[in-house]
Amino acid sequence: MAVKNLGGSQQLLAGQGDIIVFSAPAGGYTSSTTLANVLTNGASLGQVVQDSTSWDGEQVSFSQILDEQGDVITSRATNGTHQVSFDLADLEADFIAAFLGAESITVATGGATAVFKDGTVTCYGFGHKLPVKVRPLMITNDEGNRAIFFPKAKMAASLSWSDNLWRLHVVATAEFMDSATLKTCMILSSTTSVDYADGSITAATLDGTAGEDGG
């Protein structure tokens, strides 16, 4: 039988265009959760610090059971994991709320306002709880028409300091998904690039808490 190429035309996933997060499904993750359910309230994370994006997942591996002579009786495969990390340059209030669980604190007159010469002072506090979030995450290529997608990414973040810049260091791990329309890690391809709209989205909308007390 003649040898043929695997697949059709070559499709590369090169460069990094954007990192986008979405709201978790309103009803939580279930066996009936669809792709449409995990692609709502898309929010671009803006400037990601150069060379900070890293693929930290473990590679698939094999362990062997040997006989007394050292020959392989059988091999056991262990699945790899899918994890990325990256640094965000923006410390705007919605960023630290979305990734550090920061909460707004009322600044009384005569407190910090006195230190800042009676200017308008806003304050957000964090560090009092482990900032773990579960939401979909997408990393697009430089053309914006292909992407790595984690439908269910568990994320945690912390502050870091490098090159005279405070930044948010985010780690995201893909959790197991196996339904008819969603898998643990996915590659999306399109004939067009990502559709961006004017305006912005708040952390409360992203987390589904808009309209709640304090949201």
Side-chain angles (χ1 to χ4, degrees), residues 101-208:
E103 299 175 6
S104 178
I105 297 175
T106 301
V107 179
T109 302
T113 55
V115 176
F116 291 98
K117 296 188 181 297
D118 297 321
T120 300
V121 179
T122 59
C123 179
Y124 284 80
F126 54 90
H128 54 293
K129 56 186 177 183
L130 183 63
V132 174
K133 305 280 186 174
V134 177
R135 57 168 73 100
L137 176 140
M138 177 184 291
I139 301 179
T140 69
N141 67 347
D142 51 12
E143 297 179 67
N145 60 0
R146 301 197 81 202
I148 293 286
F149 182 55
F150 296 171
K152 185 181 181 183
K154 179 169 282 188
M155 305 179 189
S158 59
L159 278 181
S160 66
W161 166 265
S162 180
D163 296 328
N164 289 320
L165 177 71
W166 288 103
R167 69 273 303 273
L168 284 173
H169 180 69
V170 181
V171 179
T173 302
E175 294 198 325
F176 180 78
M177 293 290 296
D178 184 15
S179 69
T181 60
L182 296 175
K183 304 300 179 183
T184 303
C185 184
M186 304 169 71
I187 294 179
L188 302 179
S189 300
S190 174
T191 56
T192 58
S193 59
V194 174
D195 182 22
Y196 291 97
D198 293 333
S200 60
I201 191 170
T202 66
T205 298
L206 186 63
D207 288 336

Side-chain angles (χ1 to χ4, degrees), residues 18-162:
D18 200 2
I19 298 181
I20 303 169
V21 293
F22 301 84
S23 293
Y29 288 91
T30 69
S31 58
S32 60
T33 300
T34 67
L35 187 59
N37 297 145
V38 295
L39 290 175
T40 61
N41 295 328
S44 168
L45 300 186
Q47 289 184 307
V48 177
V49 179
Q50 186 178 41
D51 295 330
S52 70
T53 305
S54 173
W55 182 265
D56 305 322
E58 296 180 359
Q59 299 297 318
V60 64
S61 63
F62 280 93
S63 58
Q64 289 80 36
I65 298 176
L66 309 178
D67 64 16
E68 295 290 8
Q69 289 72 45
D71 298 316
V72 177
I73 298 173
T74 187
S75 296
R76 182 175 59 218
T78 300
N79 201 3
T81 59
H82 306 85
Q83 183 182 86
V84 296
S85 61
F86 49 87
D87 290 352
L88 301 176
D90 200 338
L91 294 185
E92 190 263 348
D94 280 299
F95 274 78
I96 60 176
F99 289 98
L100 295 180
E103 299 175 6
S104 178
I105 297 175
T106 301
V107 179
T109 302
T113 55
V115 176
F116 291 98
K117 296 188 181 297
D118 297 321
T120 300
V121 179
T122 59
C123 179
Y124 284 80
F126 54 90
H128 54 293
K129 56 186 177 183
L130 183 63
V132 174
K133 305 280 186 174
V134 177
R135 57 168 73 100
L137 176 140
M138 177 184 291
I139 301 179
T140 69
N141 67 347
D142 51 12
E143 297 179 67
N145 60 0
R146 301 197 81 202
I148 293 286
F149 182 55
F150 296 171
K152 185 181 181 183
K154 179 169 282 188
M155 305 179 189
S158 59
L159 278 181
S160 66
W161 166 265
S162 180

